[in-house]
Amino acid sequence: MSKLYLVPTPIGNLEDMTFRAIRILKEVDLILAEDTRTSGKLLKYYEIDTQMMSHHMHNEHKTVDAIVKRIAAGETIACISDAGTPAISDPGFLLTRACVEAGIEVDCLPGATAFVPALVNSGFPNDKFVFEGFLPVKKGRQTRFLALKEETRTMIIYESPHKLVKTLGHFVEYFGEDRPVSVSREITKLHEETVRGTAAEVLAHYTNKPPKGEIVIIVGGKSK
C-alpha cells in the first residue's frame, strides 16, 4: 500500500540508524532528501541505492502537490532530513500535512532527535517541557523572551554556535543570572559535551571558549 514514511537519520554517529529505517529506505520507490550530497554518504554507508530527490525548505512549497499525487498514484516515498527526525525544525511538516489532508497514510518511524538526549542529560525536570526550536532572530525575539520568562516548564531551544553567546546573554537579561542552563553540543559525535550551570556561569564558559557544532540548550523553568 502506498504511503509516506518519515525516517529519522543519525544526528552524528552513523550507527544510530535502526534496522527498520534501513529496510524502509531500501524498499521505497523514492527518497526525499534535504541535501542529496549529505544523504548520499549515509545511503552509501548502508548500501542503499534507492533514487533520491531534493526536498528542502526552499523548494518544498513547490514540490508538495506533485509528491502527494505520486503517492496517491501508488508510489511509496520516504522523507529524510540531513540529521534527526523530519519536520522537527527540518522539512517534512508541509508534506505530512498535505498527505493527511489527502487521506494518504503517513508512518513516522522512531529514531534520532537531538533534543531528547540533551533534555535527559541536563538533569532538569522532564515530566513537562516545552520545545521552542529556533527562536526568532530579530522580529519578535524580545516578545518571545518576555513570554518565556514566565514559563515554568523546562524549555528546549536550538541555537547556532555563532549566536550562542548572544542568546545566553539574553537568558541572563530576561531570566536572571541564576537560572539553570544546560548546553549540549555535537551530540553522538566525537567531541560531544554538555556544560551545565547558571545562565551566568554557562555564558562565561562559552565567552571564553567559543563553541562549535550543533547545539541544544535546555533552560530550567521559572520556580513556582
Side-chain angles (χ1 to χ4, degrees):
M1 182 179 179
S2 60
K3 67 167 69 173
L4 170 68
Y5 284 102
L6 300 174
V7 181
T9 55
I11 57 177
N13 192 319
L14 291 181
E15 294 180 358
D16 289 334
M17 281 287 280
T18 67
F19 292 121
R20 184 182 173 209
I22 296 170
R23 176 179 62 80
I24 293 298
L25 293 182
K26 288 182 176 181
E27 292 179 351
V28 295
D29 299 303
L30 177 69
I31 297 173
L32 304 175
E34 185 177 1
D35 187 325
T36 55
R37 294 165 299 180
T38 299
S39 297
K41 298 175 183 177
L42 176 69
L43 268 57
K44 182 178 180 181
Y45 185 84
Y46 284 105
E47 299 180 343
I48 299 169
D49 57 9
T50 305
Q51 178 186 356
M52 283 191 292
M53 185 176 85
S54 181
H55 181 77
H56 48 73
M57 63 179 295
H58 301 295
N59 73 355
E60 59 180 338
H61 290 84
K62 301 177 181 178
T63 59
V64 163
D65 290 343
I67 294 169
V68 170
K69 289 179 180 178
R70 290 181 64 166
I71 300 174
E75 291 190 55
T76 300
I77 295 179
C79 177
I80 61 177
S81 64
D82 288 346
T85 300
I88 302 295
S89 294
D90 277 323
F93 162 68
L94 292 179
L95 179 58
T96 300
R97 182 176 64 181
C99 285
V100 170
E101 292 175 347
I104 292 172
E105 184 178 357
V106 178
D107 191 350
C108 181
L109 277 61
T113 303
F115 77 77
V116 174
L119 174 62
V120 175
N121 277 338
S122 72
F124 298 169
N126 53 34
D127 54 330
K128 294 180 181 179
F129 58 88
V130 56
F131 177 73
E132 285 292 318
F134 288 97
L135 296 173
V137 177
K138 294 181 180 179
K139 185 178 180 181
R141 189 174 177 87
Q142 182 181 32
T143 301
R144 196 76 212 118
F145 273 114
L146 288 172
L148 293 176
K149 179 181 179 180
E150 302 303 318
E151 178 61 65
T152 58
R153 295 169 294 182
T154 298
M155 294 167 274
I156 303 168
I157 297 170
Y158 284 173
E159 190 54 278
S160 60
H162 67 279
K163 294 178 182 177
L164 177 62
V165 169
K166 180 179 180 181
T167 297
L168 291 170
H170 284 148
F171 290 169
V172 171
E173 177 183 354
Y174 290 98
F175 303 156
E177 61 181 20
D178 293 328
R179 183 70 69 92
V181 172
S182 175
V183 174
S184 292
R185 68 177 192 87
E186 295 292 80
I187 298 171
T188 79
K189 299 178 183 178
L190 180 63
H191 300 292
E192 176 178 1
E193 72 168 5
T194 295
V195 175
R196 308 173 185 85
T198 65
E201 290 170 343
V202 178
L203 171 60
H205 174 84
Y206 283 112
T207 298
N208 295 322
K209 184 180 179 183
K212 296 180 180 180
E214 300 295 326
I215 290 170
V216 183
I217 311 172
I218 309 298
V219 184
K222 180 180 179 181
S223 300
K224 297 181 180 179

